[in-house]
């Protein structure tokens, strides 16, 4: 499996782990002698009995991921290699969408993409879906310098700066005008994604082996243009992503075809229904009315494939690298903005995905999607119970014992991520719990405001309706419903403390 380059200072890592272990021992020494005695209230709270079912799903994901990585995927890799040249696509389209990305990153992305097209050796067309003339100059100059062979072509598609969805649709239509062979494949690449060597040749042949797969995605590593904490936070996310992708790929139900880099059969991306799904995806909400999706094109493409009857898959030994530009210098503000976008995309597609039913999704996928609705509340339950119990019984030991439980479980979860092939650091346990608490709060906030969307890099927002009454109704109803839901949650917490 591909591994990220080891760029972290080992000495600082060791010191960090020692400090973390020392903190856990210190917290344990603060607890009274009866804290670890079965039957005591502190003990029951400390072992997190109320959260056992949450960890059971994590355990299932881990086991499924390991089965895929070490059993299912190696078998399929051997089968596709046995096919040899018979599994090769007739043509490869490498389509990049670029908008408001710095010139250095743009040059690196196109250099890596053109080089990968030359490396794979198959007939290839690089499709540059761009807005600005400066990007076109960069692409043309790189094409001249790299001098690709005759089996490669360059197609530049100039698009208006109206958003990524329009750029994708314009690129798909440009590909359809080529009347490509049905065995061709299309790689959809974001403007800040660097293709690692061999990623195309390691992914495209699987379409011939698995005729039911309509789209697949790859492993992902990152380079973060920001603070150390922000860098560790992104690396944690990609390590978790890898294990979850492996778990869902076991039954060919990967839940997102990331816009950073995914491959599709050419017949899908040239299908007018698919193009319309990506460009004009919208949601009819019982309270918020109808609104278009601004972000989340990867969720739209996934839902379109599910609706059309295709499977989705993951190739763990093919990788890309992304250049991450945090939207703010402050880690707290940047992470909240990114969570708002990511979780909003997931929640907007959750209800209609569940409507497809377990017969289409499979029971495990259906349960995972259902759990997304519950997880935002259960993620806060343990901390809320510890706070409520400490106030009721006038003892801070409930919070101390809960802190020990959190510290130990997140340490174990962090070390399990080593099996993903992604590097881990001593900040991971704390960042795991930060994601749980802050992520739950953001999910609750956005679940009542699904119509609020914004890009973090492009600084664009969805235009609000001109109907003043609808705007005011959406604002007030969102606040009132969220207040009601939080009130019910607080009542449940207080009733559990009274038991």
């Amino acid at each position: 499996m591909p591994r990220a380059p080891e760029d972290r200072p080992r000495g600082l890592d060791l010191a960090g782990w020692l400090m973390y272990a020392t903190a856990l021992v210190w917290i344990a020494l603060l607890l009274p002698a009866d804290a670890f005695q079965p039957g005591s209230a502190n003990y029951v709270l400390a072992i997190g009995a109320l959260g056992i079912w949450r960890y059971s799903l994590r355990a299932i994901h881990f086991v499924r991921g390991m089965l895929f990585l070490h059993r299912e995927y190696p078998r399929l890799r051997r089968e596709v290699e046995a096919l040899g040249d018979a599994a090769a696509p007739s043509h490869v389209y490498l389509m990049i969408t670029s908008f408001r990305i710095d010139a250095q990153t743009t040059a690196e992305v196109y250099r890596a993409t053109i080089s990968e097209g030359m490396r794979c050796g198959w007939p290839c067309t690089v499709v540059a879906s761009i807005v600005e003339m400066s990007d076109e100059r960069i692409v043309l100059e790189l094409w001249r310098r790299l001098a690709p062979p005759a089996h490669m072509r360059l197609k530049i598609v100039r698009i208006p700066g109206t958003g990524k969805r329009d750029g994708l649709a314009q690129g798909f239509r440009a590909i359809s005008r080529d009347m490509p062979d049905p065995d061709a494949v299309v790689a959809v690449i974001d403007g800040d994604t660097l293709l690692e060597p061999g990623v195309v040749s390691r992914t495209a042949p699987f379409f011939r082996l698995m005729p039911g797969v309509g789209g697949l995605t790859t492993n992902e590593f990152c380079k973060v243009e920001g603070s150390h904490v922000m860098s560790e936070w992104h690396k944690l996310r990609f390590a978790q992503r890898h294990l979850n992708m492996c778990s869902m790929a076991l039954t060919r139900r990967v839940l997102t075809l990331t816009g950073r880099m995914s491959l599709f059969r050419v017949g899908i991306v040239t299908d007018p229904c698919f193009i319309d799904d990506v460009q004009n995806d919208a949601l009819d909400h019982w309270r918020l009315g109808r609104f278009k999706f601004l972000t989340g094109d990867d969720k739209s493409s996934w839902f379109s494939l599910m609706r059309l009857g295709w499977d989705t898959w993951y190739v763990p030994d093919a990788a890309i690298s992304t250049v991450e530009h945090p939207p703010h210098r402050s880690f707290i503000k940047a992470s909240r903005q990114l969570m708002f976008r990511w979780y909003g995309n997931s929640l907007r597609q959750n209800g209609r995905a569940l409507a497809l039913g377990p017969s289409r999704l499979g029971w495990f996928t259906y349960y995972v999607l259902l759990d997304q609705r519950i997880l935002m509340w259960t993620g806060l339950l343990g901390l809320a119970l510890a706070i409520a119990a400490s106030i009721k019984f006038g003892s801070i030991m409930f919070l101390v014992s809960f802190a020990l439980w959190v510290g130990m479980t997140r340490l174990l979860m962090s070390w399990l991520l080593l099996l993903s092939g992604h590097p881990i650091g001593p900040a991971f346990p704390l960042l795991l719990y930060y994601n749980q608490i802050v992520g739950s709060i953001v999910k609750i906030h956005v679940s009542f405001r699904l119509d609020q969307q914004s890009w973090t890099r492009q600084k664009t927002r969805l235009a609000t309706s001109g109907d003043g009454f609808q705007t005011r109704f959406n604002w007030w109803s969102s606040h009132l419903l969220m207040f009601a839901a939080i009130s019910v949650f607080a009542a449940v917490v207080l009733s559990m403390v009274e038991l």
Side-chain angles (χ1 to χ4, degrees):
M1 299 300 167
R3 299 186 67 91
E6 198 64 41
D7 59 354
R8 60 178 73 250
R10 295 182 181 273
L12 288 178
D13 267 10
L14 179 60
W17 288 118
L18 288 175
M19 289 177 62
Y20 188 87
T22 301
L24 288 182
V25 173
W26 180 75
I27 293 173
L29 293 175
L30 290 177
L31 293 172
D34 68 341
F36 300 101
Q37 295 298 321
S40 71
N42 286 354
Y43 175 83
V44 173
L45 182 61
I47 65 171
L50 295 172
I52 287 177
W53 72 272
R54 291 188 62 247
Y55 294 103
S56 66
L57 181 58
R58 291 178 183 269
I60 292 171
H61 268 306
F62 180 78
V63 172
R64 284 170 55 95
M66 291 300 102
L67 284 174
F68 177 78
L69 271 176
H70 301 294
R71 184 176 177 179
E72 177 70 6
Y73 180 75
R75 177 183 67 82
L76 292 171
R77 170 57 70 188
R78 290 191 297 270
E79 290 182 12
V80 80
E81 289 177 352
L83 292 175
D85 292 339
S90 59
H91 199 96
V92 175
Y93 288 89
L94 304 176
M95 191 183 86
I96 307 173
T97 55
S98 300
F99 182 45
R100 291 184 181 173
I101 297 175
D102 64 275
Q104 180 178 349
T105 300
T106 297
E108 291 176 0
V109 167
Y110 277 97
R111 182 180 291 109
T113 302
I114 296 169
S115 299
E116 182 60 16
M118 298 166 63
R119 189 179 295 110
C120 75
W122 299 321
C124 177
T125 299
V126 176
V127 181
S129 185
I130 55 180
V131 176
E132 293 151 336
M133 180 61 71
S134 58
D135 288 345
E136 182 174 343
R137 295 193 186 99
I138 292 173
V139 175
L140 291 174
E141 178 62 20
L142 282 171
W143 191 266
R144 185 187 65 80
R145 289 185 181 182
L146 295 174
H151 69 263
M152 289 188 64
R153 295 184 301 147
L154 174 65
K155 183 185 290 286
I156 294 179
V157 181
R158 293 296 300 274
I159 59 174
T162 53
K164 183 181 177 183
R165 289 179 178 272
D166 288 340
L168 290 171
Q170 297 273 29
F172 293 157
R173 293 188 180 102
I175 293 172
S176 67
R177 286 192 289 270
D178 277 1
M179 303 294 289
D181 186 276
D183 291 330
V185 298
V186 179
V188 180
I189 306 164
D190 212 351
D192 54 5
T193 300
L194 302 173
L195 301 186
E196 295 295 326
V199 65
V200 172
S201 59
R202 296 193 69 82
T203 52
F206 280 106
F207 286 111
R208 187 65 61 91
L209 180 68
M210 298 180 289
V213 171
L216 56 82
T217 190
T218 65
N219 204 348
E220 189 170 343
F221 298 93
C222 65
K223 175 185 177 183
V224 181
E225 304 291 341
S227 66
H228 177 72
V229 175
M230 179 59 71
S231 176
E232 294 295 280
W233 185 68
H234 274 87
K235 290 172 182 176
L236 167 63
R237 173 174 174 261
F238 289 133
Q240 291 179 298
R241 171 190 181 273
H242 179 59
L243 283 180
N244 287 334
M245 287 283 192
C246 288
S247 171
M248 302 310 298
L250 187 65
T251 44
R252 302 184 186 180
R253 285 295 182 272
V254 170
L255 290 179
T256 183
L257 293 170
T258 176
R260 295 304 180 85
M261 194 279 194
S262 293
L263 270 75
F264 299 87
R265 295 181 183 274
V266 74
I268 292 174
V269 302
T270 57
D271 184 340
C273 291
F274 179 83
I275 296 174
D276 186 67
D277 284 344
V278 172
Q279 184 175 22
N280 301 309
D281 201 3
L283 184 66
D284 290 301
H285 193 271
W286 67 274
R287 177 175 58 86
L288 301 172
R290 181 177 178 84
F291 56 89
K292 289 188 65 175
F293 288 179
L294 175 64
T295 62
D297 54 275
D298 52 347
K299 299 296 190 298
S300 298
S301 59
W302 175 85
F303 179 74
S304 186
L305 262 63
M306 286 293 103
R307 186 172 54 82
L308 295 171
W310 292 98
D311 295 338
T312 53
W313 205 58
Y314 180 65
V315 182
D317 62 354
I320 60 170
S321 296
T322 60
V323 182
E324 303 289 342
H325 297 89
H328 200 280
R329 295 183 63 181
S330 165
F331 167 71
I332 301 294
K333 292 182 178 179
S335 60
R336 283 171 50 206
Q337 289 182 37
L338 291 169
M339 286 180 182
F340 181 84
R341 177 163 64 88
W342 296 336
Y343 297 152
N345 294 338
S346 295
L347 291 169
R348 273 184 286 275
Q349 69 103 21
N350 182 277
R352 61 183 188 172
L354 284 171
L356 295 174
S359 60
R360 173 70 192 101
L361 297 172
W363 281 104
F364 182 74
T365 304
Y366 186 82
Y367 176 74
V368 170
L369 289 169
L370 186 63
D371 184 66
Q372 289 180 355
R373 296 186 169 193
I374 306 170
L375 189 62
M376 67 185 81
W377 297 102
T378 58
L380 297 174
L381 187 58
L383 179 60
L385 284 171
I387 294 172
S390 295
I391 294 174
K392 176 178 174 59
F393 297 105
S395 173
I396 199 174
M397 287 302 106
F398 288 94
L399 274 173
V400 175
S401 59
F402 182 72
L404 181 62
W405 165 252
V406 168
M408 294 175 63
T409 54
R410 272 54 186 185
L411 179 62
L412 175 61
M413 291 162 61
S414 296
W415 280 99
L416 287 176
L417 289 175
L418 273 176
L419 297 175
S420 71
H422 289 246
I424 69 169
F428 275 32
L430 297 177
L431 291 173
L432 275 170
Y433 199 62
Y434 172 84
N435 282 348
Q436 178 178 324
I437 299 302
V438 178
S440 294
I441 294 172
V442 173
K443 287 176 185 177
I444 291 171
H445 175 83
V446 75
S447 65
F448 293 96
R449 300 165 177 83
L450 295 178
D451 57 328
Q452 295 184 12
Q453 308 166 61
S454 65
W455 281 106
T456 49
R457 181 178 66 235
Q458 297 178 11
K459 307 300 180 186
T460 55
R461 291 181 176 271
L462 185 68
T464 58
S465 170
D467 188 339
F469 172 79
Q470 183 69 48
T471 301
R472 291 191 296 272
F473 174 79
N474 289 355
W475 192 92
W476 281 106
S477 61
S478 295
H479 281 74
L480 289 173
L481 286 175
M482 188 173 75
F483 176 78
I486 293 173
S487 299
V488 172
F489 177 76
V492 170
V493 171
L494 294 175
S495 65
M496 293 179 71
V497 172
E498 293 293 335
L499 293 177

